[in-house]
Amino acid sequence: MTKIKKRGENGLIEILTNRLMIIPCSLDIAKSLVFHRKELDKQSPIEFPICWPSAFVKGFLPLYIENLESKEKKNDCGLWLIILYEEKRIIGDILMQGKPSKEGMVELCYHVDEKQVDETIAFEAVDAFIDWLTYQKFVTKVVMECEVEQERSIRLFEKLGMLCTEKEGRFLMWEIQKKDFE
C-alpha cells in the first residue's frame, strides 16, 4: 500500500510503502554528499552506505545542486532517495531525468544496492514512485531504459506492466502509459 504525505510548509513529499520511504534529495543532503560526506555520515540519523550514491548519481549531483540553487524549484523532479524505513538506511535512488515533456512523458532511472536488498524492494520502490506519478495530471507516460543483459531490470519492468518499445544496440527502452495505469 502506498501513502503519499506532504509535510512542512515547503510541501515536501514523502512516498511511503510498507517498508520504504521515498523522499526528494534536499539541497543540504546533495551538498553534503559532494562536499562533506564524512560529516554527513557522522551526523545523519539515516545511514548512507559507502556504495551509495552510484557513479551515475555522483556525476549528476553537481548539476542537481546547481539547479536547486539557481531557481525556486518544486521537489517533483530530480533525485529521490529510497530509504529502508525500519533500518533507517538508504538503499538506492530514483532519478527523474528532467521535467515531464509537453506530451507528459517522464524518463526515470533507478539504482538499488542489489547486494543488500532483494528484487521485491526494487519493485516496491519503483511501483510506488510510478503510482505517485500517475496522480500527477501532467504525466501520461513513464519511460525507463536498461541494457539487454540486465535481467533484474527486465524482470522488474515486466512485473510493473511496462512494454519494451525499442531496442537500440545493447539498450532496451521500456514504457507504460497512463491508460495502462487505470
Side-chain angles (χ1 to χ4, degrees):
M1 176 180 205
T2 302
K3 287 191 215 174
I4 299 164
K5 291 173 49 176
K6 286 190 176 184
R7 67 180 163 142
E9 293 175 12
N10 63 0
L12 182 65
I13 295 169
E14 292 178 345
I15 301 170
L16 303 173
T17 70
N18 290 335
R19 301 179 285 181
L20 305 173
M21 178 169 56
I22 304 165
I23 59 171
C25 181
S26 69
L27 178 60
D28 289 339
I29 290 175
K31 282 183 167 181
S32 294
L33 284 167
V34 173
F35 302 112
H36 309 289
R37 176 64 190 246
K38 288 181 182 176
E39 193 63 30
L40 178 65
D41 290 340
K42 287 180 195 175
Q43 301 292 329
S44 178
I46 296 171
E47 179 187 340
F48 289 81
I50 293 170
C51 62
W52 188 86
S54 67
F56 181 80
V57 172
K58 282 180 186 175
F60 173 76
L61 280 171
L63 176 63
Y64 184 66
I65 290 168
E66 186 178 311
N67 285 341
L68 289 177
E69 287 180 331
S70 68
K71 57 187 172 195
E72 195 166 316
K73 181 179 172 154
K74 288 185 176 182
N75 285 320
D76 59 357
C77 293
L79 180 62
W80 293 68
L81 310 177
I82 304 170
I83 301 167
L84 196 55
Y85 190 74
E86 284 190 14
E87 295 180 20
K88 306 242 184 293
R89 177 171 48 96
I90 292 182
I91 57 163
D93 54 77
I94 297 174
L95 182 62
M96 284 181 64
Q97 298 182 8
K99 291 190 178 214
S101 69
K102 291 178 184 176
E103 298 80 29
M105 183 188 83
V106 66
E107 188 172 346
L108 301 179
C109 64
Y110 78 100
H111 303 93
V112 292
D113 184 353
E114 294 178 352
K115 294 174 187 157
Q116 295 186 34
V117 298
D118 62 35
E119 289 182 48
T120 65
I121 296 272
F123 173 80
E124 189 174 322
V126 177
D127 185 52
F129 196 79
I130 289 175
D131 191 40
W132 172 74
L133 282 174
T134 64
Y135 289 108
Q136 311 306 308
K137 293 177 184 170
F138 50 84
V139 175
T140 59
K141 184 191 311 187
V142 176
V143 176
M144 298 181 83
E145 181 180 88
C146 71
E147 294 183 27
V148 293
E149 65 271 357
Q150 290 178 304
E151 293 175 16
R152 288 181 86 159
S153 290
I154 291 169
R155 281 194 305 270
L156 171 67
F157 298 158
E158 288 173 343
K159 190 174 178 184
L160 288 165
M162 299 182 88
L163 298 174
C164 184
T165 58
E166 187 178 330
K167 180 180 180 187
E168 189 173 313
R170 64 178 217 246
F171 293 98
L172 302 173
M173 186 65 70
W174 296 80
E175 70 178 50
I176 189 166
Q177 296 198 21
K178 190 132 188 165
K179 65 180 184 217
D180 298 331
F181 302 125
E182 298 167 352

